[in-house]
Amino acid sequence: MKTRFINGQFFTMIKEDDHIDSLITEHGKIIAINDLVTKVDQVFDCQQAVVLPGFVDAHLHIAGYGQQLSLLNLNKEANKNIILEKVKHKLNGSFLYVQGHMDNGLNKHDLNTVSSTVPIVLRHSDYHGATVNDAVLKLLGKENHPTGILHELEAMEAVRLVPPTTQEQLTEFIETAIKKLQSYGITGGHSDDLYYFNGYHGTIQSFNKVLKTLPFRTHLLMHYLVLDDYLKSGDPWLDQHPYLQLGAIKIFYDGTLSSQTALMHHPYRNTDHYGERIFSKEVFRTLIKKIRQHELPIAVHTIGDQALEELADWFKEFPVKNGLHDRIIHASFALEKTVEKLKELPLIFDIQPQFLSSDLPKGLAIINPKTSLIYPWKTYMDAQLILCGSSDAPVEDPNPLLGIASAYYRQSDDDGLTYGENEKLSIFEAVKLYTTYAQVPTYLSKQRGYLKVGFDADFTLLDTNIFKHPEKLKTTKVIATIIDDHCVYDQRK
Ligand SMILES: [Zn+2]
C-alpha cells in the first residue's frame, strides 16, 4: 500500500533548514520524495504539521516508566486529607504500594481510617523511609510501633513485603509506557529493563506480547547480571524482529551526584572524598574481559570526570569489536584531557539534557569548584563524538521537546538561570540528538534518522516549527506519530 504524506513541512535533518514538500511510503519505507505523479492508495494529510524523522529516546527504562505511570504517586502532596482521599480511591482490596510520599507526620492511625486490614505502604519520596498501616505492622511483627513511620532498614523491610510484579502487570507496565511514549512523538527507545523485573526471559516475553500489536522500535540493553541468561538462550545479538533488538551490556562504573558517589577528579566540596567505583578494578577487568570474549559492546553508567578518564583507558586496553560502538551513559562531567582520548574511540554518548535543568545549581553546590567541564555537550560535539538524547525515564519526563529545550537553553528549573553559555547546542544539533544521532546505536544496516528515500517510515508530526520558534518548545504539541508506516498516535482523533 502506497501512502502520500502531504501538506507538511518535512525537515529531512540532512542539513539545516533542508526540507521537502511531500513523500511517499510503502512497506514501511520512504520510496519517493516531492513526487506528486506516482499513483498512491491513500493520502495522509499532515495539516500543516512540521514532520521530522521519528524521535528516539536513547536511554530510558520502559518497564520502570510504565510502573511509575501505573502506581499511585503522591508527588510530595502536603495535604493529609488529599493524600487519604487518593489512597482510598486507589485501594481495591489487595496490597497497596504508593510512591512519592513526603513525610508530613501522617501516621498509621490516619492510614487505618482508610483500612487497617489491607496492607498499605507509602514509600517516602527520598526512598529512605515508608509510612505504613496496622496491616503492614502486623506482617512485620511490629504491632506496637507508635506511628508506623519507618526509616532506613525498617522501611526496607516494609517495602520488601510488596508483592513482586506478575507477568501480567509487567506486560501492562510496558504497554502503558509505550502508549505514553508514542503520544510524545517517540518512535523508538533504548531501554534498560532486563534485570529489574521478571528477568531476561520474562521481560522479553512481555515486550514481545506488547510489540505484536503496538509498533515501537525497542532496543534493549542487557544488564550484566542477565548476560549468562542471554548467552544460554541462543538468541542472536541485535535484531530479533523489526521492533526488537538486543544491544550492549549495561554495567556501572560509579554512583550518582546527589549521593556524592559519582567518581570525581577533585574531592567533593569541603570533603576529602572523591566518590566511588562500583566495582574494584580487578572485578571490572574480569567483567570487561568476559564481555569482550563474546565480542559484545558495553554501555557504562558514568557520571564523574575521574570515572570517564579511567574508562577511556579501559576502552583502549579492551577495544570493542571492529564496526561496533561502546556507549557511555550520562558522561555528566569530563576533564579536558579525557575528551582528547575519547576522540580516538568508537563511542556513543547517551546524554540527558534535562539533568542540567533539574540538577543544577544543586549539583554545583556539592562538587569541587575546580571541576572544569560540566555537561559539556558542545565540547563533545566539537570533538566529533556521537551524542544521543535521552531522558533516563522514569528519572525525567521522557518528552523529547523538554530535552531539546534543555540542550538549547541550558536553563535550570530551580532558578531560571543559564548554566554554561559556551556549551549550548544549536537548535538543529539539539533536535539531532533525538532523531539522527539517537539512531546510530541501532546500527549500520538500519536506515533511520533522516527523511530520505530508502529510510524507515518513522515520523514525528509537530504543530510548531521548533527550528524557527524554539521559545515555543515547551508548549509544542505532537500531532501524530508514525512508526513503520502505521499511525500509532493521532491527536486529532
Ligand atoms: Zn538509567
Side-chain angles (χ1 to χ4, degrees), residues 59-61 192 196 250 252 301 329-330 352 392-393 395:
H59 179 74
L60 79 169
H61 306 267
D192 170 24
Y196 310 101
K250 164 84 188 277
F252 296 81
H301 165 112
I329 302 166
H330 308 309
Q352 298 74 30
D392 206 3
V395 177

Side-chain angles (χ1 to χ4, degrees), residues 19 21 72 84 92 97 111 156 163 200 220 227-228 232 237 279 293 363 371 395 431 492:
H19 57 269
D21 298 321
L72 173 59
L84 293 175
N92 65 4
Y97 176 56
L111 285 179
M156 282 315 297
Y200 180 84
L220 297 178
L227 175 57
D228 287 334
K232 271 185 233 141
W237 189 64
F279 302 108
Q293 262 166 21
T371 308
V395 177
V431 174
R492 300 164 296 186

Side-chain angles (χ1 to χ4, degrees), residues 371-482:
T371 308
S372 56
L373 300 177
I374 298 166
Y375 298 115
W377 307 319
K378 186 70 185 163
T379 300
Y380 290 154
M381 212 165 257
D382 288 347
Q384 312 288 318
L385 304 177
I386 303 165
L387 298 191
C388 304
S390 65
S391 65
D392 206 3
V395 177
E396 299 287 344
D397 182 341
N399 177 357
L401 295 164
L402 301 180
I404 292 167
S406 290
Y408 178 72
Y409 287 109
R410 292 182 69 95
Q411 212 170 34
S412 158
D413 293 337
D414 279 353
D415 59 14
L417 296 178
T418 297
Y419 286 87
E421 193 73 39
N422 55 335
E423 294 290 354
K424 281 182 174 177
L425 298 185
S426 72
I427 186 68
F428 184 67
E429 288 167 331
V431 174
K432 276 213 150 190
L433 297 178
Y434 293 86
T435 54
T436 315
Y437 297 143
Q439 292 289 8
V440 176
T442 58
Y443 290 104
L444 318 163
S445 62
K446 293 284 171 285
Q447 309 267 291
R448 293 179 195 153
Y450 295 110
L451 301 185
K452 261 188 189 180
V453 171
F455 275 56
D456 283 346
D458 295 354
F459 314 130
T460 303
L461 279 68
L462 304 174
D463 72 349
T464 305
N465 183 344
I466 54 174
F467 299 104
K468 225 171 160 180
H469 294 289
E471 77 282 1
K472 292 187 182 160
L473 275 166
K474 290 188 180 178
T475 51
T476 293
K477 296 263 172 313
V478 173
I479 291 184
T481 309
I482 312 289

Side-chain angles (χ1 to χ4, degrees), residues 60-75:
L60 79 169
H61 306 267
I62 292 176
Y65 179 53
Q67 182 187 41
Q68 191 202 47
L69 292 175
S70 307
L71 289 177
L72 173 59
N73 194 312
L74 294 170
N75 293 316

Side-chain angles (χ1 to χ4, degrees), residues 264-279:
M264 301 298 288
H265 185 70
H266 300 288
Y268 283 89
R269 197 180 286 252
N270 304 327
T271 75
D272 56 3
H273 79 264
Y274 293 81
E276 288 169 17
R277 283 177 204 87
I278 299 291
F279 302 108

